[in-house]
Amino acid sequence: MAAGGKEGRAAAEPEAAVVEEPRSFKDLGVTDVLCEACDQLGWKMPTKIQVEAIPVALQGRDIIGLAETGSGKTGAFALPILQALLETPQRLFALVLTPTRELAFQISEQFEALGSSIGVHSTVIVGGIDTMSQSLALAKKPHVIIATPGRLVDHLENTKGFNLRALKFLVMDEADRILNMDFETEVDKILKVIPRDRKTFLFSATMTKKVQKLQRAALKNPVKCAVSSKYQTVEKLQQYYIFIPSKFKDSYLVYILNELAGNSFMIFCSTCNNTQRTALLLRNLGFTAIPLHGQMSQNKRLGSLNKFKAKARSILLATDVASRGLDIPHVDVVINFDIPTHSKDYIHRVGRTARAGRSGKSITFVTQYDVELFQRIEHLIGKKLPAFPMQEEEVMMLTERVAEAQRLARMELREQGEKKRSRNDDDDTEEAIGVRNKVAGGKKKKRKAF
Ligand code: AMP
């Protein structure tokens, strides 16, 4: 893989970082005040990715980090940035780009936790939030900005006095997604207005091998830090599939939720509409289900996530907006209700369970239309999955009740759609909680919804 880019950077195969046994943060070269901050967070020892990446980053090298959320990757890039900031204090010092709003808040929490004792100010710039309050936050020139690309470009173009000409660090979190076509225009605009002379860190659980894609990040002679280099799913994850006729998907879902009752579930659907519909269907059957998708306002998305995290709801139904990076330790079962179209998304989705040494299950629904996609997934993970054991007759006994719940869900969905059209609001039955920023309701920009 060549690492040079159109900006004339060196083209070379990234060196691999030397893997060593975990040591203390101090041994890695982390300064005392940041070691104390880690200690206060209960981080006794650095994680593998931190052992690999921190010393290399402290030497001033660019990094390609292969690690997923849960591995401690945020600390792996945040600590070197904070240390560099301590050495040469400067406003608008680092920019972290991330594909989803939820991830941006999650990363910001870690910057705040590690950096608060040294007076570091960070701000989150994402869509769905009032631009005016963001402009005010940017006017105060925070040290670190954590942003989704689209909204950052809005501010670069429209917020007077805001620029990133002095930036020293660029991080792309979930880099293979940031670098793909979805964000092409935005990322190109951002790269044009930040200095070439900067440090760049790419972190992702899966990383593209496409040279052109990586070239866009314009890395300088990067070091590759990999916790696992092959696409892997963890050992404590039991992965199953079920092969079923498409028209009985809902009944099979209800059967599995009953069979595995007492667990907490993340159920992935392919569209916002199906996510909402399935959530309504399950609620009609008495399950505590809550949706998370891109057609909900940001306060409702955060509200859903917080309720699920706080275990007030046991089932989170989501589109791929939630497949990457979210750190929710207690997910027991991931259900791929709609099979992912991109095999890599399978790795991200099932990665929401069996985290931090816990065990977990994943069950992928395969209908007559999904066989080829499923085979691609098996090929990617390099194994054949077993079928989840089921009693078909028991599933069939559910069909009548499920049909009634489906009918109600369709009606509710239609009503919600009408309400939305008349009020231009996306009202559903869950009120929002836990919003950190003021949320603007009306102004909506047409962006890709997940
Ligand atoms: P991340 O992979 O960055 O999303 O981090 C996942 C979780 O691991 C977060 O809750 C961090 O607070 C936590 N974490 C990060 N580094 C360490 C460490 N060295 N020791 C213990 N926990 C950590």
Side-chain angles (χ1 to χ4, degrees):
M1 183 198 70
K6 59 187 170 191
E7 295 181 38
R9 284 162 188 256
E13 182 73 22
E15 299 163 31
V18 183
V19 189
E20 290 176 33
E21 284 301 303
R23 302 176 290 178
S24 68
F25 282 103
K26 196 169 171 58
D27 291 342
L28 300 181
V30 176
T31 192
D32 287 349
V33 58
L34 289 172
C35 287
E36 273 166 37
C38 292
D39 201 45
Q40 275 173 8
L41 288 178
W43 299 4
K44 300 274 173 272
M45 262 186 357
T47 63
K48 267 191 188 165
I49 188 68
Q50 290 164 354
V51 170
E52 287 201 35
I54 290 174
V56 177
L58 290 176
Q59 283 165 20
R61 302 286 299 268
D62 282 3
I63 287 178
I64 298 178
L66 272 170
E68 70 160 65
T69 300
S71 62
K73 66 168 175 163
T74 316
F77 62 73
L79 286 166
I81 289 175
L82 293 171
Q83 185 142 329
L85 189 54
L86 277 169
E87 281 160 16
T88 44
Q90 182 207 299
R91 299 272 165 177
L92 301 173
F93 189 72
L95 167 66
V96 182
L97 290 177
T98 181
T100 72
R101 301 165 186 181
E102 285 75 11
L103 271 176
F105 285 108
Q106 192 172 290
I107 292 168
S108 136
E109 278 164 18
Q110 290 203 43
F111 266 100
E112 297 270 316
L114 289 168
S116 58
S117 62
I118 54 171
V120 169
H121 296 289
S122 65
T123 196
V124 174
I125 301 294
V126 294
I129 308 267
D130 173 30
T131 42
M132 190 55 91
S133 61
Q134 289 179 346
S135 300
L136 291 173
L138 290 174
K140 289 185 189 151
K141 298 198 185 330
H143 299 103
V144 181
I145 297 173
I146 300 120
T148 48
R151 181 55 71 89
L152 183 75
V153 168
D154 277 359
H155 282 287
L156 284 166
E157 290 176 345
N158 302 315
T159 298
K160 266 203 179 138
F162 169 58
N163 69 69
L164 291 171
R165 287 198 285 267
L167 197 79
K168 295 288 183 286
F169 282 86
L170 171 68
V171 181
M172 292 188 187
D173 181 54
E174 298 295 344
D176 70 340
R177 202 110 188 253
I178 291 282
L179 288 169
N180 74 17
M181 304 305 275
D182 290 355
F183 294 108
E184 192 179 14
T185 338
E186 289 90 343
V187 168
D188 280 349
K189 282 184 181 165
I190 294 167
L191 288 170
K192 271 199 195 112
V193 299
I194 61 174
R196 292 177 179 197
D197 188 18
R198 58 160 197 267
K199 309 277 177 278
T200 307
F201 301 155
L202 307 191
F203 276 83
S204 200
T206 54
M207 189 68 80
T208 181
K209 291 220 163 35
K210 289 185 193 135
V211 177
Q212 271 179 335
K213 220 169 125 178
L214 277 168
Q215 276 179 340
R216 294 182 52 233
L219 295 151
K220 269 181 297 177
N221 193 15
V223 179
K224 189 171 170 188
C225 301
V227 168
S228 60
S229 57
K230 181 101 187 93
Y231 297 132
Q232 275 175 355
T233 42
V234 293
E235 280 167 24
K236 289 196 168 164
L237 171 69
Q238 296 172 284
Q239 304 173 78
Y240 299 96
Y241 77 97
I242 57 170
F243 185 54
I244 52 166
S246 158
K247 69 173 179 179
F248 292 124
K249 272 175 102 172
D250 289 344
S251 300
Y252 277 91
L253 178 62
V254 174
Y255 169 83
I256 286 172
L257 294 176
N258 283 334
E259 281 297 296
L260 302 177
N263 287 296
S264 70
F265 297 85
M266 268 184 92
I267 302 175
F268 284 99
C269 302
S270 56
T271 62
C272 300
N273 199 55
N274 202 28
T275 308
Q276 189 73 16
R277 182 203 70 91
T278 315
L280 291 168
L281 170 99
L282 293 179
R283 283 192 209 166
N284 288 335
L285 289 162
F287 292 101
T288 58
I290 197 165
L292 175 66
H293 57 75
Q295 277 176 11
M296 291 161 66
S297 64
Q298 187 55 28
N299 62 342
K300 283 186 177 134
R301 279 165 63 168
L302 283 173
S304 284
L305 196 57
N306 286 342
K307 281 181 185 177
F308 184 66
K309 276 186 169 178
K311 302 190 185 176
R313 298 290 184 279
S314 60
I315 301 172
L316 181 71
L317 288 115
T319 54
D320 279 308
V321 75
S323 69
R324 286 173 181 252
L326 290 182
D327 184 30
I328 313 171
H330 72 281
V331 180
D332 303 305
V333 186
V334 167
I335 296 180
N336 288 312
F337 184 58
D338 293 326
I339 199 161
T341 335
H342 303 291
S343 313
K344 272 192 200 171
D345 284 335
Y346 176 87
I347 311 273
H348 291 285
R349 288 180 181 190
V350 300
R352 297 310 101 220
T353 184
R355 302 171 68 74
R358 293 157 179 257
S359 56
K361 273 192 189 59
S362 71
I363 303 171
T364 300
F365 282 38
V366 185
T367 72
Q368 65 272 35
Y369 309 115
D370 309 322
V371 177
E372 202 185 318
L373 287 173
F374 183 61
Q375 284 169 341
R376 266 191 238 157
I377 290 169
E378 285 193 324
H379 180 71
L380 179 76
I381 59 176
K383 57 177 142 192
K384 292 260 172 232
L385 299 187
F388 185 75
M390 286 183 307
Q391 304 289 331
E392 315 281 334
E393 334 56 271
E394 287 184 26
V395 180
M396 290 306 129
M397 279 159 59
L398 294 165
T399 53
E400 216 168 290
R401 276 188 65 213
V402 170
E404 177 58 14
Q406 284 172 331
R407 196 181 60 79
L408 279 174
R410 272 196 302 273
M411 265 169 48
E412 287 163 341
L413 205 56
R414 211 175 308 131
E415 274 167 24
Q416 284 183 356
E418 277 160 16
K419 234 196 253 175
K420 210 188 228 174
R421 270 190 296 281
S422 65
R423 289 200 290 141
N424 190 22
D425 187 16
D426 52 355
D427 193 17
D428 60 25
T429 53
E430 298 289 347
E431 80 286 357
I433 57 167
V435 189
R436 298 218 266 142
N437 291 294
K438 202 176 137 210
V439 175
K443 197 182 161 204
K444 279 216 179 85
K445 205 180 151 199
K446 190 92 187 115
R447 291 188 56 78
K448 189 174 171 190
F450 278 90

